[in-house]
Amino acid sequence: MKHKITLVENDTLILELITDYLNASEHFEVNYSFENGASFYASFSAVCKNTDLIIMDFQLGDTTAEQVLALIQLEQIAIPVLVLTSNYNQSLVGYMIKLGVACYLPKHIKLTDFIRIVKEVLSKGHYISKEQFPYLKDSIYDSSSELTIKKYNISKRELDIIYLLAQQCTAKEIGERLFIAPKTVENYKNILFVKTGTKNIVGLVLWAIQQRILFLDL
């Protein structure tokens, strides 16, 4: 079964290019496409019921990705958002992750790499490249990891899971590495979300980097 994709892009040519390329794949189907934020908002309820991934530019003419993400979070919608922008700036990686973006990419990315990353976001819920990790340093706070671990009552097993999530391992892969069931991994993830006040894997990884539990040479 094909994954259903929603596109929000105010450049008509790019919108058509991405639509054609995704639809040509056996894995994807673009079932909604919008050229501005207003039309996206008008169909928001229908989109959320029938979409696996939202791909959008950061600047959408009459609105921005920030406003769209705020709406998605307000409605507590668990749909990953991939931002694909011509104004890409690696120094904004940390900021974009804080906004709740599952993946942040430049429009000049190779189409083959783009498809690979889309698959990864759909299977793992997020994507951070090795090149992007160093740019998360601007979001790091000066704190003691040992004190943080005690303060938030993070166990050794939970630390292992955070580390493997940062390596973009799936629940199945983590389970195989730690000799536990994938369902148990999901339980640990949910507990970590509660403990850290984060809402998704990207937020959890960024939190761990901010607290110096993870380091930038992953």
Side-chain angles (χ1 to χ4, degrees):
M1 185 172 67
K2 292 187 175 183
H3 290 287
K4 296 178 180 178
I5 311 291
T6 290
L7 298 179
V8 190
E9 168 61 60
N10 59 0
D11 186 318
T12 304
L13 291 177
I14 292 177
L15 182 65
E16 291 177 354
L17 174 65
I18 297 175
T19 299
D20 291 344
Y21 198 76
L22 289 172
N23 283 337
S25 168
E26 61 180 333
H27 303 287
F28 313 116
E29 173 190 356
V30 176
N31 59 334
Y32 292 105
S33 61
F34 305 98
E35 294 186 9
N36 54 64
S39 57
F40 173 78
Y41 286 138
S43 302
F44 184 72
S45 296
V47 168
C48 292
K49 293 176 182 177
N50 200 30
T51 295
D52 299 311
L53 173 67
I54 298 172
I55 300 174
M56 66 173 65
D57 197 348
F58 184 79
Q59 185 62 49
L60 300 170
D62 55 346
T63 187
T64 65
E66 289 175 294
Q67 294 169 299
V68 174
L69 287 161
L71 175 63
I72 291 173
Q73 291 169 359
L74 180 65
E75 298 293 330
Q76 297 184 326
I77 304 299
I79 301 174
V81 176
L82 186 158
V83 169
L84 186 69
T85 178
S86 56
N87 298 316
Y88 179 83
N89 187 333
Q90 295 226 69
S91 65
L92 295 177
V93 171
Y95 173 70
M96 298 303 292
I97 290 173
K98 285 182 178 179
L99 287 179
V101 170
C103 182
Y104 176 55
L105 297 174
K107 282 185 178 176
H108 61 255
I109 188 172
K110 293 180 180 179
L111 287 173
T112 51
D113 290 336
F114 176 65
I115 291 295
R116 174 181 57 80
I117 292 170
V118 168
K119 289 179 181 177
E120 192 152 338
V121 172
L122 284 165
S123 65
K124 300 179 180 179
H126 72 291
Y127 175 83
I128 304 174
S129 70
K130 291 182 179 179
E131 291 75 22
Q132 289 176 333
F133 262 108
Y135 291 91
L136 291 172
K137 65 176 181 283
D138 293 333
S139 299
I140 293 178
Y141 304 135
D142 186 15
S143 61
S144 167
S145 62
E146 184 176 350
L147 289 176
T148 299
I149 290 168
K150 290 181 179 179
K151 177 182 177 180
Y152 290 90
N153 192 27
I154 306 295
S155 69
K156 174 63 169 61
R157 177 51 55 87
E158 288 169 340
L159 287 174
D160 290 339
I161 287 176
I162 291 174
Y163 180 80
L164 292 171
L165 287 172
Q167 302 302 304
Q168 304 189 67
C169 295
T170 64
K172 182 176 182 296
E173 290 168 340
I174 294 173
E176 290 173 350
R177 293 274 291 273
L178 300 180
F179 304 102
I180 57 178
K183 185 176 181 180
T184 303
V185 176
E186 294 294 339
N187 289 338
Y188 273 116
K189 281 168 50 181
N190 291 331
I191 290 171
L192 283 165
F193 292 154
V194 173
K195 285 184 176 183
T196 62
T198 55
K199 297 180 180 179
N200 52 44
I201 294 172
V202 176
L204 176 62
V205 171
L206 180 58
W207 176 88
I209 293 172
Q210 291 171 338
Q211 303 300 331
R212 298 187 183 277
I213 293 171
L214 289 177
F215 295 93
L216 297 174
D217 58 351
L218 290 169

